[in-house]
Amino acid sequence: MNINKLTKALFITSLMSLPASAAELEISVTNLTHGNYFTPLLIAAHDMDSHLFQAGEMATPALQKMAEGGDIADLDAAVTGAGGVTVANPAMGLLAPSAKVDSIMLDSGDMTHLSLTAMVLPTNDAFVGLDAWKIPTEAGTYTFTVNAYDAGTEANDEIINGGGASGTPGIPAAPGGDGGMNATGIMDNSNNDKVHIHPGVLGDTDMDGGVSDLDSRVHRWLNPVARVTVIVK
């Protein structure tokens, strides 16, 4: 093999050995719901074998803590413990209905997939979720919508009682101050205990009783619940 052919072969080999993902991402997340809030977001870049959640699978204890109470600490630790990188709570608190958090910078390094999650309030165990989206290798702007999932860990009784700990029934709060009280509770007959697309809330219009503490005029939604834009640089 002559020098030119050898140089070309070495160049091609070096290209093939480069990481599959782009190093720098600029991300924005918009809450598309009419009256629901997102708890602190967790955005994670990780390898192809890692997941924050998987539809059709049982929720992990870390996912349950996030979906029922908005606590992302254990999910964050799981990602970083597996070599991934995260941005936690980029909105510095709750992301209000129609609000947007942008210019979230994430250096993904050699990580190949992107995930995102946050609890939807007020709900029992709903969360906005992006599972292992493959990061494009081509620079550009990529925009897509994201659904809300049910963690399958708690019945959707729609009772606001401050319950935010794992295994404690009820909804932590209605951040907009627009929830009811004294509800008897929705009869949730679902036996699906795995992560699945959330059916949405029922609610009612009785703010001092009825079956639900959620206002059907405010808190109902149809998927998708968020818009995500990723700029690959």
Side-chain angles (χ1 to χ4, degrees):
M1 181 180 292
N2 62 38
I3 295 299
N4 287 337
K5 288 184 178 179
L6 178 61
T7 301
K8 183 177 180 180
L10 290 173
F11 177 71
I12 293 173
T13 300
S14 68
L15 285 179
M16 293 175 64
S17 65
L18 288 174
S21 66
E24 189 174 355
L25 308 177
E26 182 177 346
I27 303 164
S28 68
V29 181
T30 304
N31 181 342
L32 299 180
T33 70
H34 173 63
N36 296 277
Y37 291 71
F38 298 162
T39 60
L41 289 156
L42 178 66
I43 301 173
H46 51 82
D47 62 28
M48 65 181 298
D49 296 320
S50 299
H51 298 271
L52 298 181
F53 71 96
Q54 286 183 281
E57 301 293 334
M58 298 291 291
T60 63
L63 181 70
Q64 182 176 6
K65 287 180 68 173
M66 183 280 302
E68 294 185 15
D71 185 348
I72 59 176
D74 287 1
L75 284 175
D76 191 358
V79 173
T80 56
V85 292
T86 64
V87 176
N89 195 17
M92 301 300 291
L94 300 178
L95 189 64
S98 77
K100 176 182 180 182
V101 56
D102 55 15
S103 300
I104 305 167
M105 305 306 299
L106 178 63
D107 186 346
S108 62
D110 59 356
M111 297 295 102
T112 56
H113 289 71
L114 186 73
S115 293
L116 174 152
T117 194
M119 182 187 183
V120 179
L121 274 176
T123 69
N124 289 89
D125 62 343
F127 64 94
V128 53
L130 173 67
D131 175 34
W133 180 72
K134 188 172 183 181
I135 300 170
T137 57
E138 183 175 349
T141 299
Y142 302 84
T143 299
F144 47 91
T145 53
V146 178
N147 291 328
Y149 291 84
D150 190 313
T153 58
E154 181 178 315
N156 297 319
D157 61 17
E158 300 188 12
I159 296 175
I160 298 174
N161 63 356
S166 294
T168 301
I171 296 172
D178 44 20
M181 59 182 67
N182 304 319
T184 58
I186 297 292
M187 295 298 293
D188 183 359
N189 295 321
S190 171
N191 59 2
N192 190 345
D193 60 357
K194 297 180 174 61
V195 177
H196 55 278
I197 291 291
H198 201 285
V201 303
L202 294 177
D204 60 27
T205 57
D206 185 348
M207 295 297 96
D208 193 29
V211 295
S212 174
D213 284 332
L214 305 185
D215 190 333
S216 59
R217 301 161 296 186
V218 177
H219 301 128
R220 286 180 64 90
W221 81 80
L222 295 174
N223 274 318
V225 296
R227 181 170 60 246
V228 177
T229 297
V230 179
I231 300 174
V232 180
K233 298 186 176 182

